[in-house]
Amino acid sequence: MAGFLDQLMQGVNSASRIVTSSYVFSTKTILLLKDLATGGSGSRNIPVRLREAFEELGATYIKLGQFIASAPSLFPEEIVTEMQKCLDSVRPLPFSEIQKVLKKELGRDYQKLFQSIDPVPMASASIAQVHSAVTKDGLDVVVKVQRPDIEGALGADLNLLFLASKLFEIFVPGLNRSGLSEMVGMFQSSILEEIDFIKEANSCEEFERYLLSTGETRARVPKIYRELSTKKVLVMEKFYGAPITDEVSLRKFSKDPSKTLSDALEIWFSTLSKSGFFHADVHAGNLMILKDGTVGFIDFGIVGRISSKVWEGLMIFLEGLALNRTDRIASGLVRMDGTAQGIDEKKLAKDLETVFDQMSKIVLDIQMGELEAFDEKKMNAILFEFRDISDRNGLKIPKEFGLLIKQILYFDRYIKSFAPELDLIRDREKFIR
C-alpha cells in the first residue's frame, strides 16, 4: 500500500510540476512576443527569457543552466553566455525545515549527536544549505543538508526534460541527429550524482587516499564523518583559512606563496596523471590556504575522470600551446578521441590556427599579468570554435576536455598573481611527478 501511495504522490507531483513549468515558460513566451511587438530583438532576448525561467523554476533548471554554461562544446554560444548568469544562491530555508531533514536522516534524537548547530546558514544554494556545528565530541564541523523538497522536484523535472528532448528529436526536422536526449541524459547523470552526498564523500576520500598513498602532507581534504552522514546529510571537518586568491591570508599563512601555489598545482596534476581522477571545480572558493600553511581542497561535488589516451592527448595539446605549433595541438586532439579514424591532421591544424591564436593570446596576457584576460565568456567562445572545427573534421572531443582546460587556466591565473616566475604551460613537466 505504501508503495502505491508513493507512486500516486509522485504522479501528482509530476503533474503539478508540468503545470508549473508550462505556466512559467508560457509567461516568458508572452514576454518575448511583447518584446517583438515593441520593436525589441526576439532572438537576442530568447536566452534572457530562458535564463529567467530557469531561475524562477528553481533547483533543476538552475543546475541545467549551469550545466549549459559549463558545456560550451554542446550548446549555442548565446545561450551559454547568458546561462553563466544563473545564480545558485537562493533564499535560506527556515531552520525548522532543515531540522525535519536532520530528524528523518539521523533520527529524532539527532540533537544528541551535536553540542550545537548554528541556525543561521553559512551558505544557501538550490540543492543544499550549509550550517556550522559542533559535534558531541567537541569537533568543529560543517553540516550540508539537502533541501527537503529537492528529490521529488528533480525526479519530476528530469523526467519531463527527457520526454521533451525525445519528442523534439522525433518531431523537429534535423534534431534526430543532434544528440539532444543524450545531452539531457548527461545532465541527468551529473545532477543525480550531485544530490547523492555519499558519492561526494567517496570522491573526497578518494582524493585523500591518493594523498596518503603518496605520503603527501602539503595538502588536505576535510575529514568526512560517515557516522553522521547520509545521502542527504554530509558532515565534514570545518577548515579554517581563506581562499588561495586572498593575498593577505596567503602571505600571512605561507612563508613562500610561490611554493604554496606550485605545490597545489603539482598535487592536482599528479593526481590527474597517476589516477585519471581530478577535482573539476578549483575556483577560488574551493581551494584554500589553511592556517597551518597547507592547501585545502574542498567541495568534491564535481569531479572528473579521464583515460590514459585523454591524458596523453592533453600533454601533446599543451606542448603545442607552449611551442606555438598547431600541428601538435591537432595531434593532441586526435589522440583524445579514441574512436578517431582517417582524420586529416594537416587540415585540422590549418583550421585550428585562428582559435589557437585566440587561446595563445589569453595565455600570454595572463603570463604578462593581465589576470582579467581569462574569463568564462572568452574561454567558452574558444571552446565553441574547438567544437565546430572538430565537428567539421569528424573529430569528437571528450566532454572532460573543457573542464581540464578551465582548471589549468584557473591555476595559471592564480600563479601569475603570486608567483609570476612560474609558467604552467611551458614548465608543465615540473608539476607532473
Side-chain angles (χ1 to χ4, degrees):
M1 186 65 176
F4 170 75
L5 289 175
D6 288 342
Q7 289 181 355
L8 180 62
M9 286 304 298
Q10 185 175 0
V12 171
N13 289 338
S14 296
S16 174
R17 190 61 175 165
I18 289 172
V19 171
T20 301
S21 301
S22 299
Y23 173 77
V24 171
F25 283 118
S26 297
T27 301
K28 299 305 176 185
T29 301
I30 291 171
L31 288 173
L32 272 174
L33 294 174
K34 184 179 178 181
D35 291 339
L36 286 171
T38 56
S41 173
S43 61
R44 191 164 62 242
N45 288 336
I46 287 174
V48 176
R49 298 305 184 195
L50 189 60
R51 190 257 305 162
E52 290 173 346
F54 280 15
E55 290 183 333
E56 191 170 333
L57 285 166
T60 311
Y61 291 89
I62 288 173
K63 290 297 179 184
L64 177 57
Q66 293 174 337
F67 174 78
I68 292 171
S70 68
S73 61
L74 301 177
F75 299 97
E77 180 177 0
E78 61 276 11
I79 300 291
V80 170
T81 300
E82 185 62 30
M83 288 305 167
Q84 289 165 17
K85 301 174 186 175
C86 252
L87 300 177
D88 193 12
S89 178
V90 299
R91 183 177 301 168
L93 283 174
F95 189 58
S96 58
E97 294 296 310
I98 296 298
Q99 286 179 307
K100 290 178 184 178
V101 180
L102 292 171
K103 286 178 182 178
K104 185 175 181 180
E105 294 296 307
L106 303 180
R108 300 194 64 82
D109 296 330
Y110 81 91
Q111 292 99 327
K112 294 181 179 178
L113 302 172
F114 301 92
Q115 290 184 17
S116 64
I117 302 179
D118 189 344
V120 179
M122 298 171 60
S124 180
S126 59
I127 296 291
Q129 197 157 292
V130 181
H131 292 258
S132 293
V134 179
T135 69
K136 65 177 181 178
D137 298 321
L139 301 171
D140 288 350
V141 296
V142 294
V143 183
K144 185 176 181 180
V145 184
Q146 200 169 115
R147 286 178 169 260
D149 56 345
I150 196 65
E151 193 166 14
L154 283 175
D157 288 343
L158 291 171
N159 289 335
L160 177 60
L161 286 169
F162 189 74
L163 175 61
S165 68
K166 282 294 187 183
L167 291 174
F168 276 125
E169 287 183 338
I170 292 171
F171 294 110
V172 178
L175 274 186
N176 59 324
R177 295 187 301 275
S178 70
L180 180 62
S181 60
E182 183 182 348
M183 294 178 201
V184 172
M186 192 189 306
F187 165 67
Q188 184 173 19
S189 174
S190 169
I191 197 170
L192 289 177
E193 284 199 9
E194 191 171 346
I195 65 167
D196 186 345
F197 292 167
I198 297 298
K199 289 186 177 180
E200 182 176 340
N202 290 342
S203 296
C204 184
E205 291 182 340
E206 181 176 351
F207 197 89
E208 182 179 40
R209 283 194 298 274
Y210 173 80
L211 297 178
L212 292 172
S213 69
T214 57
E216 184 57 73
T217 59
R218 296 170 296 175
R220 294 173 54 208
V221 298
K223 174 179 172 56
I224 305 294
Y225 294 95
R226 290 278 186 174
E227 68 279 9
L228 300 175
S229 299
T230 70
K231 185 178 178 180
K232 298 181 179 181
V233 175
L234 184 59
V235 179
M236 301 168 284
E237 173 187 4
K238 186 175 183 179
F239 273 176
Y240 289 94
I244 205 162
T245 51
D246 182 335
E247 183 173 359
V248 174
S249 296
L250 183 58
R251 298 192 185 281
K252 177 180 176 182
F253 301 145
S254 172
K255 295 178 181 178
D256 188 347
S258 174
K259 186 176 186 306
T260 298
L261 286 163
S262 179
D263 288 346
L265 182 55
E266 184 184 317
I267 292 162
W268 183 85
F269 252 129
S270 64
T271 310
L272 174 64
S273 64
K274 293 176 182 176
S275 67
F277 172 82
F278 66 100
H279 190 304
D281 196 18
V282 289
H283 64 69
N286 289 340
L287 199 60
M288 298 178 67
I289 175 71
L290 305 183
K291 288 186 175 180
D292 63 2
T294 57
V295 177
F297 286 85
I298 65 172
D299 192 348
F300 285 79
I302 304 176
V303 297
R305 298 178 190 280
I306 62 170
S307 66
S308 58
K309 280 188 175 295
V310 173
W311 169 252
E312 292 167 6
L314 178 66
M315 289 298 98
I316 297 171
F317 178 92
L318 292 178
E319 176 192 342
L321 199 59
L323 299 176
N324 295 331
R325 289 182 53 183
T326 53
D327 62 323
R328 297 302 289 160
I329 288 179
S331 294
L333 293 174
V334 171
R335 181 67 63 90
M336 289 184 202
D337 182 2
T339 64
Q341 291 183 351
I343 302 294
D344 186 341
E345 289 192 25
K346 288 186 178 179
K347 180 180 180 300
L348 176 60
K350 181 67 176 175
D351 290 348
L352 284 169
E353 285 180 1
T354 301
V355 67
F356 165 75
D357 288 342
Q358 295 173 32
M359 178 167 273
S360 294
K361 185 178 187 309
I362 287 180
V363 172
L364 181 61
D365 286 346
I366 291 174
Q367 291 171 350
M368 295 298 291
E370 296 178 26
L371 304 182
E372 69 282 358
F374 170 58
D375 61 38
E376 290 287 330
K377 184 176 181 180
K378 290 179 182 177
M379 193 62 226
N380 285 339
I382 288 173
L383 291 174
F384 272 123
E385 292 197 48
F386 270 119
R387 179 198 65 181
D388 293 342
I389 292 169
S390 298
D391 287 348
R392 292 201 303 269
N393 285 271
L395 194 64
K396 184 178 180 181
I397 298 178
K399 66 181 188 300
E400 294 84 5
F401 172 73
L403 279 174
L404 284 168
I405 294 298
K406 285 186 180 182
Q407 307 320 301
I408 288 170
L409 289 179
Y410 271 135
F411 273 117
D412 205 29
R413 184 168 55 176
Y414 301 155
I415 64 178
K416 291 310 168 191
S417 296
F418 309 108
E421 72 279 6
L422 296 176
D423 187 328
L424 189 161
I425 306 297
R426 184 195 63 208
D427 303 328
R428 64 199 175 282
E429 296 293 339
K430 71 176 286 186
F431 300 112
I432 305 166
R433 299 179 181 177

